[in-house]
């Protein structure tokens, strides 16, 4: 059995070097100055749940680990001999030393399944059990019930057809506040990620020297149209489940001020953005002058092609946690659905240009990438407009949201993938010069 005190001492000395090597750790751009174990909770023999506080210049964040001394790298989530216990405890509705394992009302779960980590780790760790379930373990913790779980429950309550059903959860309390540790959902083995589908379509286009996007066998526009309709339906379901209201002048002013603050922060870190600063500020101010009455509500908050899945029955939206860099209050704020639309439009641009990253300039390929982007942006908006108001009717605000997202992308790429920095910078150049 693991000794909690010995484990705590070991974490203090080893995690500052180990955490930056892990895909789900969100602080790779800053040095770790301290790691403090806040709680070590035995779940079973040789299985311990750990919450650590990670201190870095300018911020302190909470992360969780599930540890076994016999598992590789101490990480028991990747150990099929031990991660099955998590599903068993959810199915049984157990409460272990202050950690609550619960299934959703009316849900019965199959047990005796081993979990396998999803192929590509992201900011969380996801385990697939058989062909039935997927358990998302939230690595970075926030006080309060996790937005992802709240939104899925709300959407399920109104019969939303474009999500995977929530089946259970793992939660606890820290200093008297609820904290969501994991969410269990139905797993859809036939699902394909939208990003992969879009990349394949772009690859097919780039391989054809003379054909236009609509002539290539892998044309994505039909799927983009259906995706736009699905996103609009999810927005409608969220409004039904959680309500909406019209934004007042103060809300609009705060939104534009937030764009300006983000720009100021990124300008300090990324000098290459400076040449576009005046044009960006002008676009943000122009949106304030032209925006009319707009509804605000709960939205996805971080929508892109990697957050949607295509199944045989249609498109599903996943990962409703919101923008990774945003605080809890900001994630939970009511926003215009145009923010989600802008995020997806930016994702089409990324999909079209990902094959050009690190390659010599090629005017023909750049033209074909732009053709693909425009075709699919239009198809997405057409599909959205069949269900809700056409997002292009509020062009100034939509453009401001797109530019704000591109500024966020500049900061992300600068910190994590410098070779990709040309993608958002070139988009900002086009959008601020009237090229898109």
């Amino acid at each position: 059995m693991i000794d909690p005190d010995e484990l705590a001492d070991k974490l203090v000395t080893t995690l500052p070097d180990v955490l930056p090597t892990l895909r789900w750790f969100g602080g790779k751009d800053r040095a770790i100055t301290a790691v403090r174990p806040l709680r070590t909770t035995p779940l079973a023999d040789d299985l311990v749940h750990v919450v650590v506080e990670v201190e870095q210049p300018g911020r302190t964040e909470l992360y969780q680990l599930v540890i076994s001394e016999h598992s590789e790298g101490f990480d028991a989530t990747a150990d099929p001999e031990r991660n099955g216990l998590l599903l068993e405890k959810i199915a049984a509705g157990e409460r272990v030393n202050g950690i609550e394992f619960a299934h959703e009302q009316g849900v019965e779960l199959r047990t005796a399944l081993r979990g396998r980590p999803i192929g590509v780790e992201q900011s969380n760790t996801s385990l697939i059990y058989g062909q039935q379930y997927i358990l998302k373990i939230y690595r970075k913790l926030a006080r309060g019930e996790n937005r992802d779980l709240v939104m899925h429950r709300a959407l399920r309550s109104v019969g939303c057809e474009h999500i995977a059903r929530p089946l259970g959860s793992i939660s606890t309390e820290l200093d008297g506040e609820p904290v969501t540790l994991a969410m269990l959902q139905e797993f859809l083995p036939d699902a394909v990620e939208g990003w992969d589908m879009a990349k394949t379509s772009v690859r097919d286009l780039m391989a054809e020297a003379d054909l236009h996007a609509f002539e290539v066998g892998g044309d994505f526009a039909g799927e983009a149209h259906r995706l736009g309709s699905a996103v609009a339906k999810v927005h409608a379901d969220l409004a039904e489940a959680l309500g909406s209201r019209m934004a007042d002048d103060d809300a609009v002013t705060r939104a534009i001020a937030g764009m300006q603050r983000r720009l100021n922060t990124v300008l300090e870190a990324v000098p290459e953005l400076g040449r576009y600063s005046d044009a960006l500020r002008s676009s943000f101010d122009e949106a304030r002058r032209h925006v009319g009455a707009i509804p605000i509500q709960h939205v996805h908050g971080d929508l892109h092609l990697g957050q949607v899945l295509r199944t045989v029955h249609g498109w599903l939206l996943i990962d409703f946690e919101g923008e990774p860099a945003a605080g809890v209050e900001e994630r939970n704020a009511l926003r215009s659905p145009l923010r989600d639309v802008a995020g997806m439009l930016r994702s089409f641009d990324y999909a079209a240009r990902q094959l050009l990253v690190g390659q010599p300039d090629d005017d023909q390929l750049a033209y074909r990438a732009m053709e693909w982007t425009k075709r699919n942006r239009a198809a997405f908006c057409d599909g959205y407009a069949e269900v809700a108001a056409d997002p292009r009717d509020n062009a100034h605000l939509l453009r401001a949201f797109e530019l704000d997202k591109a500024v966020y992308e500049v900061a992300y790429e600068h910190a994590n993938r410098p070779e990709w920095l040309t993608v958002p910078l070139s988009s900002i150049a086009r959008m601020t010069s009237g090229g898109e």
Side-chain angles (χ1 to χ4, degrees):
M1 177 176 287
I2 299 175
D3 183 289
D5 293 331
E6 289 183 6
L7 175 61
D9 291 340
K10 189 166 188 176
L11 294 175
V12 168
T13 58
T14 60
L15 283 184
D17 293 325
V18 172
L19 285 174
T21 68
L22 303 176
R23 173 65 181 89
W24 48 259
F25 181 64
K28 298 182 180 66
D29 58 332
R30 307 186 192 189
I32 296 175
T33 54
V35 173
R36 291 182 288 272
L38 297 186
R39 193 171 70 186
T40 56
T41 306
L43 299 179
D45 289 346
D46 189 36
L47 194 66
V48 178
H49 181 268
V50 180
V51 177
V52 295
E53 186 176 66
V54 180
E55 184 179 285
Q56 296 178 282
R59 67 184 175 206
T60 301
E61 295 175 323
L62 301 178
Y63 287 87
Q64 67 165 317
L65 302 95
V66 183
I67 291 176
S68 167
E69 62 181 350
H70 297 298
S71 300
E72 184 177 352
F74 286 90
D75 182 9
T77 63
D79 186 342
E81 296 295 332
R82 290 166 179 81
N83 60 31
L85 287 174
L86 302 177
L87 177 62
E88 291 179 10
K89 292 180 183 300
I90 293 173
E94 291 186 21
R95 185 176 180 87
V96 183
N97 297 324
I99 296 180
E100 185 173 354
F101 299 81
H103 52 79
E104 296 295 293
Q105 186 174 4
V107 170
E108 293 186 7
L109 300 172
R110 177 184 170 189
T111 57
L113 297 173
R114 295 181 176 186
R116 64 184 188 278
I118 202 167
V120 180
E121 277 195 308
Q122 299 177 350
S123 55
N124 303 303
T125 295
S126 293
L127 303 175
I128 298 171
Y129 292 91
Q131 298 293 306
Q132 291 86 12
Y133 315 124
I134 181 167
L135 180 68
K136 183 195 298 183
I137 299 170
Y138 302 109
R139 289 299 192 167
K140 186 165 73 171
L141 302 178
R143 298 178 190 276
E145 197 170 23
N146 189 285
R147 184 177 187 269
D148 198 16
L149 180 60
V150 171
M151 300 279 274
H152 272 91
R153 283 174 170 166
L155 287 167
R156 184 188 181 192
S157 73
V158 295
C160 181
E161 298 178 351
H162 296 287
I163 59 166
R165 285 192 308 135
L167 302 174
S169 61
I170 305 174
S171 59
T172 189
E173 288 189 357
L174 289 175
D175 301 324
E177 294 183 83
V179 175
T180 305
L181 302 175
M183 177 174 68
L184 185 72
Q185 290 178 274
E186 63 176 333
F187 175 63
L188 302 158
D190 68 318
V192 180
E193 191 179 85
W195 175 252
D196 290 334
M197 291 180 66
K199 283 197 306 180
T200 299
S201 173
V202 173
R203 191 176 298 114
D204 289 348
L205 176 62
M206 296 300 188
E208 297 287 350
D210 301 317
L211 297 181
H212 292 286
F214 67 88
E215 297 173 312
V216 176
D219 183 26
F220 190 70
E223 292 296 346
H225 186 280
R226 286 184 281 272
L227 178 58
S229 296
V231 170
K233 289 174 184 175
V234 170
H235 284 160
D237 287 340
L238 284 171
E240 179 185 350
L242 299 171
S244 66
R245 64 178 176 84
M246 300 306 292
D248 55 24
D249 290 342
D250 288 344
V252 174
T253 297
R254 287 194 300 271
I256 301 299
M259 297 178 188
Q260 299 282 17
R261 284 195 302 273
R262 189 201 299 274
L263 176 58
N264 291 337
T265 300
V266 180
L267 282 169
E268 292 181 5
V270 189
E272 297 94 321
L273 187 60
R275 73 187 73 173
Y276 310 112
S277 61
D278 290 343
L280 286 164
R281 294 189 195 283
S282 177
S283 294
F284 296 154
D285 289 338
E286 190 174 11
R288 181 184 306 154
R289 289 194 299 270
H290 287 88
V291 69
I294 58 169
I296 55 175
Q297 61 171 82
H298 288 286
V299 298
H300 183 280
D302 186 33
L303 191 62
H304 53 77
L305 287 164
Q307 303 282 40
V308 293
L309 301 175
R310 184 65 164 92
T311 74
V312 294
H313 302 294
W315 284 101
L316 303 181
L317 276 63
I318 62 174
D319 295 340
F320 284 79
E321 293 177 76
E323 188 178 287
V328 174
E329 184 176 352
E330 184 179 354
R331 293 186 189 197
N332 289 328
L334 301 185
R335 297 182 172 192
S336 166
L338 290 178
R339 281 191 179 271
D340 281 351
V341 174
M344 188 58 70
L345 297 183
R346 288 294 311 128
S347 193
F348 286 129
D349 186 66
Y350 259 77
R353 298 180 187 282
Q354 45 87 26
L355 290 180
L356 308 182
V357 173
Q359 302 299 316
D361 291 342
D362 186 314
D363 291 341
Q364 183 184 21
L365 292 183
Y367 174 85
R368 295 171 79 74
M370 178 59 72
E371 181 188 25
W372 189 94
T373 300
K374 288 182 176 180
R375 176 169 173 77
N376 287 284
R377 284 165 60 97
F380 178 85
C381 290
D382 288 345
Y384 193 98
E386 288 186 354
V387 177
D390 192 326
R392 294 162 294 196
D393 290 345
N394 204 331
H396 292 288
L397 185 58
L398 180 59
R399 177 59 55 88
F401 283 139
E402 282 192 72
L403 286 169
D404 181 52
K405 182 67 173 181
V407 170
Y408 168 84
E409 293 162 358
V410 166
Y412 178 86
E413 304 300 5
H414 179 264
N416 297 280
R417 301 187 302 186
E419 69 276 12
W420 284 71
L421 190 56
T422 56
V423 175
L425 284 176
S426 61
S427 294
I428 290 172
R430 291 192 303 274
M431 284 189 282
T432 55
S433 65
E436 286 188 10

